[in-house]
Amino acid sequence: MKLKVEDLQERMQYIRDHVESFNTEERATALNKMYDHFEERMMLAPGSSIDFYHNAWPGGYVDHILNITECSKKIYHMWKDMGGHTDEYTEESVVFCALHHDLGKLGDLTEDYYVPNESEWHRINQGKMYEYNDKLHYMTVTDRAVWLLNHFGIEMTQIEYLALRLTDGMYEDANKGYLMGFGEGKNLKSNLPLILHQADMMATRLEKERYMFSKDSNIDYEEILHP
């Protein structure tokens, strides 16, 4: 999938608008400083490295951020409508975590996280459109996101940290202790991490289906589903 320049600018403006609308003035100022540093790289970053995952194309990152933010807002209001306990956080926290859960996919202050795969064979036969940049220190995407936010002096609450930390759910091995803890003391005390994980799964699946049922896919899913 390819986005036009105006599409990329529209998604970037969506992110900037949500930074302004869903943060205190102090945090919005710090966030905008970070976005000033990363804006061009952010607009061109992919959402993943392999084409049949999701959004493995330039602009895939900002498209995913828009999608998960919309999903997270809808799921948050669904939890409230169904009687979920949300007194300990606000919609602002939901949006903050959605906007920044994948921030580590931008890389560090100077190096991209993903670099184009120069192997045509791997691109064609395995769909590996990007490789990980070996010039970076190894960190998980989430750890790098937290490091970047800290570098730019952006504060978050404990619950926001947990939600951002656990957005990948059990797809991240390090999250097992948080999500499978035994005993009352190890249970999640807030449902915000669950909302973010559900939103991420929904957004990622919608993006994957967009690829599955497009001309770019080499599998006819319609034929499989409707033989």
Side-chain angles (χ1 to χ4, degrees):
M1 180 174 174
K2 292 184 179 180
L3 291 178
K4 298 178 181 178
V5 173
E6 51 266 34
D7 295 327
L8 294 173
Q9 292 172 334
E10 180 182 291
R11 283 157 175 74
M12 196 66 227
Q13 188 59 52
Y14 171 94
I15 293 172
R16 290 278 198 172
D17 289 344
H18 278 65
V19 166
E20 292 290 342
S21 300
F22 290 89
N23 288 281
T24 64
E25 182 178 353
E26 181 180 5
R27 188 155 78 169
T29 298
L31 284 168
N32 277 319
K33 181 179 179 181
M34 181 180 73
Y35 279 85
D36 290 341
H37 180 89
F38 283 113
E39 181 163 338
E40 183 175 352
R41 201 196 307 183
M42 189 178 293
M43 290 174 65
L44 297 176
S48 70
S49 62
I50 301 178
D51 60 5
F52 52 83
Y53 281 4
H54 72 115
N55 285 18
W57 34 267
Y61 175 88
V62 288
D63 184 71
H64 177 63
I65 296 304
L66 183 153
N67 293 330
I68 186 179
T69 302
E70 285 301 299
C71 288
S72 67
K73 289 190 293 184
K74 293 179 185 298
I75 293 173
Y76 164 69
H77 287 289
M78 181 182 70
W79 273 74
K80 289 192 71 172
D81 291 344
M82 294 299 294
H85 189 280
T86 61
D87 292 351
E88 71 278 13
Y89 62 90
T90 63
E91 188 172 14
E92 285 74 10
S93 293
V94 176
V95 170
F96 173 81
C97 296
L99 289 177
H100 303 108
H101 77 289
D102 267 351
L103 187 65
K105 289 185 177 181
L106 298 181
D108 64 15
L109 300 177
T110 57
E111 293 286 340
D112 290 338
Y113 181 73
Y114 291 122
V115 293
N117 191 340
E118 296 181 359
S119 169
E120 184 178 9
W121 189 93
H122 284 89
R123 294 197 307 270
I124 293 174
N125 294 284
Q126 296 185 352
K128 294 181 177 179
M129 311 308 291
Y130 294 88
E131 295 181 301
Y132 300 108
N133 187 348
D134 59 12
K135 294 181 180 179
L136 293 169
H137 290 289
Y138 173 74
M139 293 185 192
T140 65
V141 170
T142 305
D143 285 345
R144 195 180 301 281
V146 174
W147 180 83
L148 287 171
L149 290 167
N150 181 70
H151 175 83
F152 285 93
I154 299 157
E155 296 184 356
M156 66 183 90
T157 67
Q158 287 189 75
I159 293 172
E160 288 172 342
Y161 168 78
L162 282 170
L164 189 149
R165 175 78 170 71
L166 300 176
T167 298
D168 284 337
M170 295 292 283
Y171 291 101
E172 173 57 60
D173 289 341
N175 293 345
K176 184 175 180 180
Y178 289 91
L179 299 171
M180 295 184 64
F182 296 99
E184 189 62 30
K186 293 186 177 180
N187 285 344
L188 287 176
K189 295 176 174 59
S190 172
N191 55 45
L192 182 57
L194 305 179
I195 291 174
L196 266 295
H197 181 47
Q198 289 172 335
D200 194 33
M201 287 194 298
M202 178 181 286
T204 301
R205 177 64 189 187
L206 293 173
E207 292 156 10
K208 181 177 176 65
E209 288 185 357
R210 185 169 56 190
Y211 168 81
M212 289 166 58
F213 297 102
S214 73
K215 59 181 177 57
D216 296 323
S217 174
N218 58 7
I219 298 175
D220 188 346
Y221 287 95
E222 289 288 2
E223 184 177 345
I224 294 173
L225 294 171
H226 306 285

